[in-house]
Amino acid sequence: MTRTIRSFVRRGGRITLSQKRALETLWSQNGVESDKLLNLEDLFGRPAEKHLEIGFGMGDALVTMAKAHPEHDYLGIDVYRPGIGHLLMQIESAQLTNVRVVCADAVDVLQDSLPSHCLDAVYLFFPDPWHKKRHHKRRLIQPEFINLLAKRMKSGGYLHFATDWEDYAQQILQVLEAAPEFINCVAAGHFSPRPPQRPLTKFEQRGLRLGHGVWDLLYQRQ
Ligand SMILES: C[S@@+](CC[C@H](N)C(=O)[O-])C[C@H]1O[C@@H](n2cnc3c(N)ncnc32)[C@H](O)[C@@H]1O
């Protein structure tokens, strides 16, 4: 399937010298090419729970979760090269062995590179809100995307979204409530209180400074 609508625009962005150097020197240790079907147990070298964060930005939440749960393995997917460089540096300085990084469109990776029912948890924190109505079609969380996640998640696995954009929060709620594969962990039609284990992300801090609210959604794969 050829997709023309993507949920991101490739921003050149400012990349620092150290991020650029990290991409050059550290990619071979924890970076993963996604041009083939991945075997996650081989990738991490052990049979631990596999957690996926989509759109990790600068990677701070991913690193916090990976430090807090050395018994789990964490795969991060993003296309933002300065953030990937930053994350590679953090993995190196914290000597983390349970994080791997993919630089690609998460939709392509889910579609072509991850096997069925391999994920124990999926996190999507503060996805690009594409707030103009004519851009809503670029929003990542749509019924087809949730359907794809359902195919890659294990039964009993957790799906956790957070956004600071109210009408996107309502849209996500609607899409998930209509998805037969997922059950709301709080109660049908309800947002979740912020789970204490969710790290505060960079975008969230910026949103809070601007006075935005935050909506968490927590679902379980049936
Ligand atoms: C608004 S930022 C949030 C970053 C981070 N989660 C946070 O809360 O600070 C959204 C991130 O999602 C990434 N992104 C958007 N669409 C993506 C896709 N289809 N595949 C991978 N990453 C994507 C962007 O590059 C960006 O880094």
Side-chain angles (χ1 to χ4, degrees):
M1 187 174 81
T2 333
R3 281 186 315 123
T4 47
I5 302 168
R6 304 246 174 211
S7 62
F8 57 88
V9 277
R10 279 199 195 266
R11 292 170 284 158
R14 252 188 327 124
I15 185 157
T16 66
L17 202 59
S18 52
Q19 289 162 354
K20 196 162 175 280
R21 198 172 301 136
L23 283 167
E24 286 159 10
T25 59
L26 301 176
W27 176 259
S28 58
Q29 289 166 37
N30 295 295
V32 177
E33 301 300 337
S34 59
D35 51 356
K36 56 178 182 303
L37 188 65
L38 299 170
N39 177 324
L40 295 185
E41 263 190 47
D42 288 353
L43 195 63
F44 289 90
R46 61 174 187 171
E49 279 192 18
K50 302 293 182 262
H51 293 222
L52 168 67
E53 185 180 2
I54 296 171
F56 54 74
M58 297 307 275
D60 301 305
L62 192 59
V63 166
T64 305
M65 293 189 292
K67 278 184 187 164
H69 292 283
E71 74 281 15
H72 298 160
D73 290 330
Y74 291 85
L75 182 67
I77 309 178
D78 206 306
V79 290
Y80 182 53
R81 288 174 55 79
I84 293 169
H86 184 76
L87 173 60
L88 291 171
M89 283 192 284
Q90 291 187 82
I91 296 172
E92 163 89 349
S93 69
Q95 294 284 297
L96 292 172
T97 56
N98 59 340
V99 184
R100 300 288 182 277
V101 189
V102 174
C103 176
D105 185 333
V107 178
D108 293 341
V109 179
L110 285 161
Q111 231 160 32
D112 304 328
S113 312
L114 290 179
S116 299
H117 310 301
C118 64
L119 300 169
D120 294 275
V122 176
Y123 309 102
L124 228 161
F125 300 145
F126 305 91
D128 294 299
W130 293 109
H131 53 270
K132 290 185 184 149
K133 202 161 175 101
R134 68 172 192 279
H135 287 150
H136 282 188
K137 55 183 181 294
R138 283 182 172 273
R139 287 179 169 176
L140 196 52
I141 299 140
Q142 317 264 357
E144 306 73 46
F145 179 72
I146 296 302
N147 189 259
L148 183 56
L149 282 183
K151 289 185 182 146
R152 300 296 173 253
M153 288 179 68
K154 288 185 191 164
S155 167
Y158 287 97
L159 184 55
H160 184 182
F161 293 113
T163 178
D164 61 352
W165 210 262
E166 188 169 9
D167 89 293
Y168 198 9
Q170 293 293 349
Q171 177 185 330
I172 300 170
L173 188 68
Q174 220 176 45
V175 170
L176 281 165
E177 291 295 319
E181 303 90 347
F182 290 99
I183 185 151
N184 192 316
C185 294
V186 179
H190 283 66
F191 293 105
S192 164
R194 178 204 167 94
Q197 69 274 17
R198 178 166 68 70
L200 196 69
T201 78
K202 216 173 143 129
F203 266 76
E204 179 173 18
Q205 290 175 47
R206 204 194 61 167
L208 291 173
R209 276 200 305 275
L210 295 170
H212 295 182
V214 173
W215 292 265
D216 282 87
L217 299 101
L218 199 57
Y219 282 78
Q220 192 171 26
R221 174 77 170 89
Q222 300 244 56

